[in-house]
């Protein structure tokens, strides 16, 4: 749908006219698209974007040319009211326009997720072993690079297929990589994990659910922690598969399973924005880098989105407007 914005008259005092430069495709949108009340037919889907301010009409702290990240409707240009301006964050102090996709990746929601789950929920100790599922993806890949380059952990990743295994092996961020597609049961995957983790698993960064979750719990050490980030294997199921958790080992092994949501870090409720400063520093130092699968054209967003569930992406899925 095309419509016209008059930049002279349509931008209210306290508002911005912005151009969206990159649009994100993220797995969580599957749940919203499936639900009956998040989006209605003909609604514009909203999600994470990054872009540039074209006009600022007497807005505190924002000027023309500023770069931003935030959650907005997926349209190429839009007018933001004062209320919407409060929901975007400034990227200009960290990156220039040529690096804008970092605003939906490393310095966006996946960055907040990787940082929050690893640094604040799992809280690694020197010499520990971490297992990460969906390790070739946006969040998993970032968790692995921080785990290796910042914390020096023993890192085990799982991903689907030989090509991804080879790619992760050559990244320098993994000590062992498991191709989960070789296994159909949790017991088989647990055996592969035991072989890959000579000292057992201290932390599991859970992105997938199903047999991954069960296998990781089976090999989790005393004082082990699980950060429940995502359950992508469940998102297209008609009904979530029932899962029985044996709670007794949590007691006698002093283990912890904790879910978390990135918005707590993005809003500053947890950590007061430390996540973006630390990630930016590590990015500048070369400890973490961008890994992206790029699609050109906002009209191709559905194909980019579907690629997440087919495992066709490596790293962050970016749609360039
Ligand atoms: N808690 C939060 O705030 C938060 C925030 C962001 C993301 N998440 C969650 O984190 C997870 C990763 O998100 P992301 O954005 O980084 O996506 P991603 O890992 O870049 O892409 C999804 C990957 O999941 C794997 N996958 C897809 N279907 C699968 C299945 N049935 N079984 C096993 N693996 C499957 C595919 O990799 P393979 O080719 O290796 O199978 C695919 O590339 C998702 O579960 C997401 O919902 C949570």
């Amino acid at each position: 749908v095309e419509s016209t914005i008059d930049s002279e008259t349509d931008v209210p005092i306290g508002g911005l006219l912005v151009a969206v430069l990159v649009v994100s495709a993220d797995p969580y949108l599957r749940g919203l698209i499936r639900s009956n009340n998040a989006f209605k037919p003909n609604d514009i889907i909203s999600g994470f974007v990054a872009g540039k301010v074209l006009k600022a009409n007497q807005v505190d702290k924002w000027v023309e040319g500023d770069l931003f990240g935030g959650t907005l409707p997926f349209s190429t240009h839009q007018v933001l009211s004062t209320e919407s301006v409060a929901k975007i964050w400034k990227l200009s102090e960290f990156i220039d326009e040529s690096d804008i996709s970092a605003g939906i990746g490393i310095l966006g929601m996946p960055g907040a997720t990787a940082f929050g789950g690893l640094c604040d929920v799992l809280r690694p100790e020197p010499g520990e072993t971490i297992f990460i599922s969906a390790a070739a993806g946006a969040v998993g890949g970032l968790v692995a690079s921080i785990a290796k380059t910042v914390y020096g952990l023993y890192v085990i990743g799982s991903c689907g297929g030989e090509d991804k295994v080879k790619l992760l092996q050559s990244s320098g961020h993994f000590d062992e990589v498991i191709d989960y597609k070789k296994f159909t049961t949790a017991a088989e995957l647990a055996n592969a994990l035991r072989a890959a983790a000579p000292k057992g698993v201290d932390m599991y960064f859970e992105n997938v659910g199903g047999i991954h979750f069960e296998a990781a719990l089976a090999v989790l050490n005393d004082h082990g922690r699980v950060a429940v980030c995502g359950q992508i294997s469940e998102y297209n199921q008609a009904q979530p598969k029932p899962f029985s958790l044996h709670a007794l080992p949590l007691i006698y092994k002093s283990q912890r399973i904790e879910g978390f949501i990135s918005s707590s870090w993005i809003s500053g409720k947890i950590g007061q924005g430390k996540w973006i400063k630390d990630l930016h520093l590590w990015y500048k130092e070369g400890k973490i880098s961008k890994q992206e699968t790029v699609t050109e054209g906002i009209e191709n967003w559905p194909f980019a989105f579907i690629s997440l569930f087919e495992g066709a992406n490596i790293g962050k899925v970016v749609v360039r407007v």
Side-chain angles (χ1 to χ4, degrees), residues 129-132 154-159 162 165 169 175-201 211-212 214-220:
T129 295
I130 185 167
F131 171 47
I132 305 158
Y154 189 89
V155 182
I156 303 165
S158 76
C159 60
E162 270 306 304
V165 168
Q169 282 167 337
D175 295 278
E176 294 284 342
V177 184
I178 296 170
D179 177 0
Y180 74 84
K181 288 196 172 162
K182 288 183 177 164
F183 310 110
T184 49
T185 66
E188 287 169 353
L189 186 56
N191 280 339
L193 263 173
R194 278 188 198 97
K199 293 195 275 179
V201 169
I211 66 168
H212 272 88
E214 221 175 313
L217 288 180
V219 301
L220 197 65

Side-chain angles (χ1 to χ4, degrees), residues 85-294:
V85 173
K87 292 183 193 154
I88 61 174
W89 61 90
K90 207 175 273 198
L91 292 171
S92 316
E93 59 192 283
F94 301 117
I95 50 170
D96 61 30
E97 195 175 328
S98 65
D99 212 10
I100 191 71
S101 61
I104 53 169
I106 287 176
L107 303 180
M109 190 271 281
T113 309
F115 183 96
L118 179 63
C119 309
D120 290 333
V121 175
L122 293 175
R123 301 194 289 274
E125 295 288 338
E128 286 192 321
T129 295
I130 185 167
F131 171 47
I132 305 158
S133 53
V139 173
L142 200 46
V143 172
S145 55
I146 302 169
K148 185 50 82 186
T149 62
V150 177
Y151 289 98
L153 302 175
Y154 189 89
V155 182
I156 303 165
S158 76
C159 60
E162 270 306 304
D163 290 348
K164 283 193 179 181
V165 168
K166 284 190 189 130
L167 191 86
L168 295 193
Q169 282 167 337
S170 65
S171 70
H173 297 147
F174 294 87
D175 295 278
E176 294 284 342
V177 184
I178 296 170
D179 177 0
Y180 74 84
K181 288 196 172 162
K182 288 183 177 164
F183 310 110
T184 49
T185 66
E188 287 169 353
L189 186 56
N191 280 339
L193 263 173
R194 278 188 198 97
K199 293 195 275 179
V201 169
D202 301 299
M203 291 167 284
Y204 173 46
F205 197 104
E206 155 74 319
N207 282 323
V208 165
I211 66 168
H212 272 88
F213 193 46
E214 221 175 313
L217 288 180
V219 301
L220 197 65
N221 287 339
D222 288 8
H223 303 283
R225 289 89 73 200
V226 177
V228 184
C229 174
Q231 300 262 293
I232 196 164
S233 70
E234 301 287 315
Y235 300 169
N236 279 322
Q237 304 287 343
Q239 294 290 334
K241 285 201 200 98
F243 175 75
S244 59
L245 173 73
H246 300 290
L248 210 52
L250 297 181
I251 302 167
Y252 62 77
K253 293 185 176 179
S254 299
Q255 295 167 332
R256 173 166 59 89
I257 301 174
E258 184 173 334
F260 70 100
I261 187 89
S262 57
S263 52
S264 303
W265 281 262
I266 293 170
S267 66
K269 195 172 149 201
I270 300 179
Q272 296 170 334
K274 187 176 187 299
W275 69 274
I276 199 165
K277 291 182 188 136
D278 282 6
L279 288 169
H280 178 239
L281 180 70
W282 298 334
Y283 186 41
K284 266 197 334 196
E285 292 174 344
K287 288 181 171 157
I288 55 176
S289 56
K290 282 195 299 182
Q291 177 80 267
E292 297 174 340
T293 300
V294 179

Side-chain angles (χ1 to χ4, degrees), residues 17-68:
L17 173 65
V18 300
V20 169
L21 302 177
V22 284
V23 169
S24 182
D26 295 295
Y28 80 92
L29 284 168
R30 182 68 183 116
L32 297 185
I33 290 168
R34 285 179 82 175
S35 81
N36 289 328
N37 42 24
F39 302 121
K40 307 243 171 343
N42 299 322
D43 275 359
I44 303 179
I45 290 179
S46 296
F48 288 92
V49 303
K52 184 160 85 167
V53 172
L54 300 181
K55 179 176 176 176
N57 191 355
Q58 303 174 46
V59 193
D60 198 23
K61 295 186 189 143
W62 289 94
V63 294
E64 185 184 322
D66 274 346
L67 301 174
F68 70 91

